[in-house]
DNA sequence: GTCTATATGACGATAGAC
DNA sequence: GTCTATCGTCATATAGAC
């Protein structure tokens, strides 16, 4: 909160400081993923780095700040992966599919990062909510990119008229729930579930209720 | 975990003990709803009850146990409300609508209880995950009742063939996300959102893709 | 500029007096 | 049954060594 720390120009770091920060948040992500947020104390982070308790607080103002940085790092990775996937899609309608598959694919490919997010949402320590809230409040709402894609697809005539915000929120929630289930039950077929999800979404939002496959028409 | 506490027959309580327990979990729910889980310390619960720190721990083995009881109480209320709503529906297909509306309606009608659940999911203390997990692990998965309704509706011929589990999980996740949004943004129209959600679900799962209203046919 | 040592205070929990 | 210590662990604050 207070951050009474020294700054050079504005947000610049020493070489050693940048390296230390990297090391600290990297190890913090590992610790959270491996032992959960509850057991990831400041002392344990410091021990993993090999410095004293206070040394960590020297670089980050608080333990909260460390966790927030770690979460921020993870979220940025997801956002970048999705942005790249959307950029490759030729239409907004295809972008929606790309969005969903990129999100699930990235989460499946980076279980460590997923574990961090899950820990933030479901687990313990009095820092989780703040970390997620503060990390999120600096950015537009999570459903914004999806809602934009949906609105563009509607303008293209590929999707029927529907509240884009609610549709985006519902799809996001459905994705999260399906993915969470795949973590709870290893036997749950995530790939098949995502296909089912996209099938549901396709039917729910398609403009023409009487067709089997939109793309086969043109 | 350990629960090294005295038990009479098996899970029976004295009159005064039962009263104290009631008092404690009632005040705990209020405290969580009002100040959040992070600020609901053992000391504050004891203060609200008017006894010492350790007296609370005498009745419940740990602070965790208190929170778990409070959560259990809240969850039971939701489950009962939904069960009652489903029982009134004449078909499984209508039961699904009733399920969704009962869930959202109950949450909207009991903001205090909702706040407790939200606190468990998004907020702080190292007890939240355990409380939810343990409260949940004693019961079938959350999507089970919905999946049963979906399967029955499929047998009735009202829903197309789809993985009932994934469909139920997706719908549950969508409901949660929409409701969470309504808490974040008071201007968000929850009623309209639920209608949109049910419309999406109806289109996504209806057996005949070329009809406007299933019930008008027969 | 980087870090250690040490202190403080809040918390959950336990033991034992009454 | 309830309270009064008391303990261990946590995040954090301060002073100052190098």
């Amino acid at each position: 909160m207070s951050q009474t720390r020294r700054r050079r120009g504005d947000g610049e770091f020493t070489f050693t400081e940048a390296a230390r920060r990297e090391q600290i948040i990297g190890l913090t992500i590992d610790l959270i993923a491996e032992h959960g947020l509850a057991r990831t104390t400041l002392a344990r982070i410091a021990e993993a780095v090999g410095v004293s308790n206070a040394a960590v607080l020297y670089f980050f103002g608080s333990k909260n700040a460390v966790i927030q940085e770690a979460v921020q790092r993870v979220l940025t990775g997801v956002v970048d992966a999705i942005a790249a996937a959307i950029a490759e899609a030729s239409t907004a309608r295809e972008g929606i599919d790309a969005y969903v598959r990129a999100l699930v694919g990235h989460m499946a490919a980076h279980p460590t990062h997923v574990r961090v997010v899950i820990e933030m949402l479901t687990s313990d320590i009095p820092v989780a909510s703040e970390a997620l809230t503060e990390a999120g409040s600096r950015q537009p709402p999570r459903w914004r990119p999806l809602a934009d894609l949906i609105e563009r697809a509607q303008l293209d005539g590929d999707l029927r008229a529907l509240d884009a915000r609610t549709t985006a929120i519902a799809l996001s929630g459905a994705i999260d729930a399906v993915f969470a289930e795949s973590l709870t039950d290893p036997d749950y077929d995530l790939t098949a579930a995502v296909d089912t999800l996209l099938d549901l979404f396709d039917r729910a939002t398609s403009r023409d209720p009487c067709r089997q496959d939109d793309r086969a028409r043109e």
Side-chain angles (χ1 to χ4, degrees), chain A:
Chain A
M1 287 290 175
S2 40
Q3 274 297 88
T4 332
R5 299 206 34 257
R6 80 279 95 101
R7 274 292 99 93
R8 232 162 299 274
D10 188 12
E12 300 217 345
F13 303 121
T14 314
F15 282 119
T16 63
E17 174 161 7
R20 267 284 190 243
R21 290 178 64 98
E22 276 309 304
Q23 189 188 14
I24 291 171
I25 64 173
L27 288 169
T28 299
I29 290 179
D30 292 345
L31 283 174
I32 294 176
E34 191 167 358
H35 302 111
L37 185 57
R39 286 192 237 276
T40 304
T41 66
L42 187 59
R44 263 186 256 268
I45 294 173
E47 185 193 13
V49 178
V51 295
S52 80
N53 205 316
V56 177
L57 292 182
Y58 168 74
F59 294 108
F60 302 85
S62 67
K63 184 203 173 189
N64 253 356
V66 181
I67 305 294
Q68 273 177 238
E69 270 282 333
V71 172
Q72 194 64 260
R73 180 78 44 122
V74 168
L75 294 184
T76 301
V78 182
V79 170
D80 289 350
I82 290 177
I86 291 180
E88 285 190 13
S90 49
T91 69
R93 179 71 192 78
E94 287 174 15
I96 298 174
D97 271 52
Y99 178 103
V100 175
R101 295 197 188 279
L103 176 55
V104 175
H106 186 268
M107 292 194 291
H110 299 278
T112 293
H113 287 199
V114 170
R115 183 76 208 282
V116 171
V117 175
I118 296 292
E119 278 298 316
M120 290 296 146
L121 287 174
T122 68
S123 265
D124 303 337
I125 301 192
V127 65
S129 60
E130 290 179 39
L132 264 189
T133 304
E134 294 191 22
S137 64
R138 283 196 287 272
Q139 290 158 351
R142 207 249 257 210
W143 46 266
R144 200 52 278 172
L146 235 192
D148 288 341
L149 282 174
I150 290 172
E151 280 169 3
R152 281 175 45 206
Q154 286 172 335
L155 288 177
D156 292 345
D158 291 333
L159 253 57
R160 71 185 172 109
L162 269 170
D163 178 33
R165 181 179 177 182
T166 297
T167 307
I169 292 170
L171 180 55
S172 297
I175 296 169
D176 293 349
V178 161
F179 193 84
E181 181 71 10
S182 79
L183 292 178
T184 303
D185 178 7
D187 292 336
Y188 185 63
D189 187 344
L190 179 60
T191 305
V194 170
D195 288 340
T196 299
L197 203 57
L198 287 175
D199 178 44
L200 282 167
F201 181 80
D202 192 50
R203 284 255 206 157
T205 60
S206 89
R207 210 164 58 93
D208 180 357
C210 292
R211 108 276 84 112
Q212 300 300 341
D213 187 9
D214 253 335
R215 295 151 193 108
R217 280 200 326 224
E218 58 209 37

